[in-house]
Amino acid sequence: MKLIDLYRDIRSELVKINSCDEEAAAEAELILLSKRFSSYTGDTLTRESLFGVKEQCEISEKGVTSARDIIKRRIEGIPLQYILNEAWFYGLNFQVYSSKTHKTFIPRPETEIIVEESLKFIKSCKASKINALDIGTGSGCIPITIIKNSNRKILWDAIDPFLTTIPYENAKNHILEDLIRFSKVELSKYHRNENKKYNLITANLPYVPNNSNIDSVVKHEPLEAIFGGEDGLDHIRETVKLIPKILQRSDSIAIFEIDPSQLTFFNALEEIYSIEIIQDINMLDRIVLLKFKN
Ligand SMILES: C[S@@+](CC[C@H](N)C(=O)[O-])C[C@H]1O[C@@H](n2cnc3c(N)ncnc32)[C@H](O)[C@@H]1O
């Protein structure tokens, strides 16, 4: 079968589970451009080659069967990122799946705002060496992306009580393993052994209120990465409590991702912090920047 015909087949199958044809087209591209599919095309495809020089390339029976297997699992409701063990975040590729019990949260586009705001802060930070802490690191996508996009010296600690080997793999694949120290621990326990203060803290913690309805695809992700207690604030509250002990008084920032309903919690902190809110692409209050008022 020709590559372009396979693309059309996949796209028309995936329309069944996507809300629009554009989403089905995007997923069909992700499948054919994936590392997993590269063994059937001789090379990892680019969008340009898929719709250009490789369009008429003949795909073996094995390749077609593999694509059909991916579609079958996708139609069963499994996120494509888990089927392919590949997620894209800020233009970089991350592993997210090793087995049913060994997978990370799939990085979301709104979290890229944490990266952007961190990079802005890093540019303005006067410290010769920046100490940074990522709380709830999952795949490690936040520290890895920030290091890859900055030429400053940043030393990262990255913690997660449900740490898997996946962020180590991601750091290794991006050749950053010496710059990030991962620890399988939650913040309160970690901090007992550390006197270190940070210039930058990033926290995309579980923040969905416990009784919220979540999409059936999201149910495949680790639930401990999603739910954050009755009002979703359990972990965020605990982190904010520790901020005075772990964030430097000046030349510093803490960046949180939140549910828009949690803004009132942060507004109540304005005696101590200057607070800035960034909205996501859907105009929802999504990212909170905290800086000590001096
Ligand atoms: C929404 S996911 C974010 C993962 C990653 N930072 C990202 O942006 O893709 C939340 C992460 O927080 C971790 N987590 C859950 N409880 C935690 C706790 N008490 N302390 C720190 N991290 C926690 C989860 O294991 C999960 O990896």
Side-chain angles (χ1 to χ4, degrees):
M1 180 184 256
K2 296 223 177 336
L3 180 61
I4 193 67
D5 295 327
L6 181 59
Y7 164 78
R8 289 191 189 112
D9 264 24
I10 298 174
R11 182 172 166 166
S12 67
E13 280 295 310
L14 291 180
V15 167
K16 293 177 193 159
I17 52 153
N18 280 287
S19 53
C20 61
D21 187 46
E22 283 72 30
E23 275 180 22
E27 289 207 351
E29 282 176 31
L30 280 177
I31 294 172
L32 296 177
L33 270 47
S34 67
K35 280 188 195 150
R36 175 168 163 174
F37 201 75
S38 63
S39 53
Y40 307 110
T41 48
D43 209 350
T44 308
L45 294 172
T46 60
R47 214 169 167 265
E48 290 68 33
S49 60
L50 168 61
F51 300 113
V53 285
K54 292 270 188 171
E55 209 183 61
Q56 298 301 317
C57 155
E58 201 61 45
I59 302 299
S60 67
E61 204 43 52
K62 242 179 153 181
V64 175
T65 308
S66 168
R68 298 227 181 287
D69 178 51
I70 294 170
I71 297 166
K72 184 171 162 277
R73 296 175 65 211
R74 181 67 193 98
I75 289 174
E76 283 165 6
I78 303 169
L80 198 52
Q81 292 87 342
Y82 285 162
I83 302 169
L84 301 172
N85 185 21
E86 198 171 274
W88 289 94
F89 180 75
Y90 214 80
L92 296 176
N93 193 286
F94 290 91
Q95 293 190 17
V96 286
Y97 187 91
S98 164
S99 71
K100 262 191 179 170
T101 53
H102 207 74
K103 54 190 169 184
T104 71
F105 183 78
I106 299 167
R108 302 293 203 274
E110 50 271 31
T111 307
E112 293 182 351
I113 307 172
I114 294 189
V115 173
E116 268 162 22
E117 293 303 319
S118 297
L119 290 170
K120 277 189 213 160
F121 164 76
I122 287 164
K123 257 193 186 165
S124 69
C125 181
K126 294 179 194 72
S128 57
K129 164 183 98 188
I130 297 170
N131 284 315
L133 172 67
D134 184 38
I135 307 171
T137 204
S139 62
C141 62
I142 295 175
I144 290 171
T145 308
I146 293 172
I147 300 176
K148 290 293 272 186
N149 284 281
S150 170
N151 50 17
R152 299 285 304 274
K153 184 163 185 186
I154 314 168
L155 295 175
W156 278 95
D157 289 326
I159 64 170
D160 197 317
F162 302 98
L163 196 79
T164 65
T165 52
I166 294 170
Y168 293 94
E169 287 296 317
N170 283 325
K172 208 159 85 190
N173 290 343
H174 290 291
I175 323 175
L176 300 176
E177 59 268 50
D178 296 337
L179 295 178
I180 309 172
R181 187 178 63 156
F182 293 105
S183 307
K184 185 175 179 138
V185 67
E186 63 182 65
L187 183 59
S188 52
K189 298 202 178 97
Y190 168 76
H191 186 250
R192 272 185 222 150
N193 312 317
E194 293 277 330
N195 301 315
K196 204 165 163 185
K197 292 218 175 192
Y198 296 93
N199 303 93
L200 168 64
I201 294 175
T202 53
N204 180 18
L205 284 156
Y207 60 70
V208 176
N210 278 354
N211 58 3
S212 309
N213 286 327
I214 54 168
D215 202 271
S216 59
V217 190
V218 177
K219 285 184 185 148
H220 287 268
E221 294 182 76
L223 295 182
E224 64 272 13
I226 294 168
F227 293 112
E230 203 177 322
D231 58 0
L233 277 166
D234 283 6
H235 306 296
I236 291 177
R237 215 180 264 117
E238 195 188 336
T239 303
V240 166
K241 227 188 266 171
L242 281 166
I243 291 261
K245 293 192 186 132
I246 58 176
L247 187 67
Q248 302 232 26
R249 290 295 308 186
S250 60
D251 216 11
S252 62
I253 193 166
I255 308 180
F256 291 83
E257 185 170 321
I258 62 158
D259 182 271
S261 66
Q262 293 156 353
L263 198 58
T264 39
F265 166 77
F266 281 95
N267 284 338
L269 303 172
E270 66 189 356
E271 257 188 42
I272 310 169
Y273 302 100
S274 72
I275 300 166
E276 196 183 331
I277 315 299
I278 317 270
Q279 293 185 327
D280 64 19
I281 195 172
N282 299 312
M283 309 298 278
L284 295 169
D285 297 327
R286 186 62 68 196
I287 303 293
V288 176
L289 314 183
L290 291 188
K291 285 184 184 175
F292 278 115
K293 280 185 173 166
N294 288 313

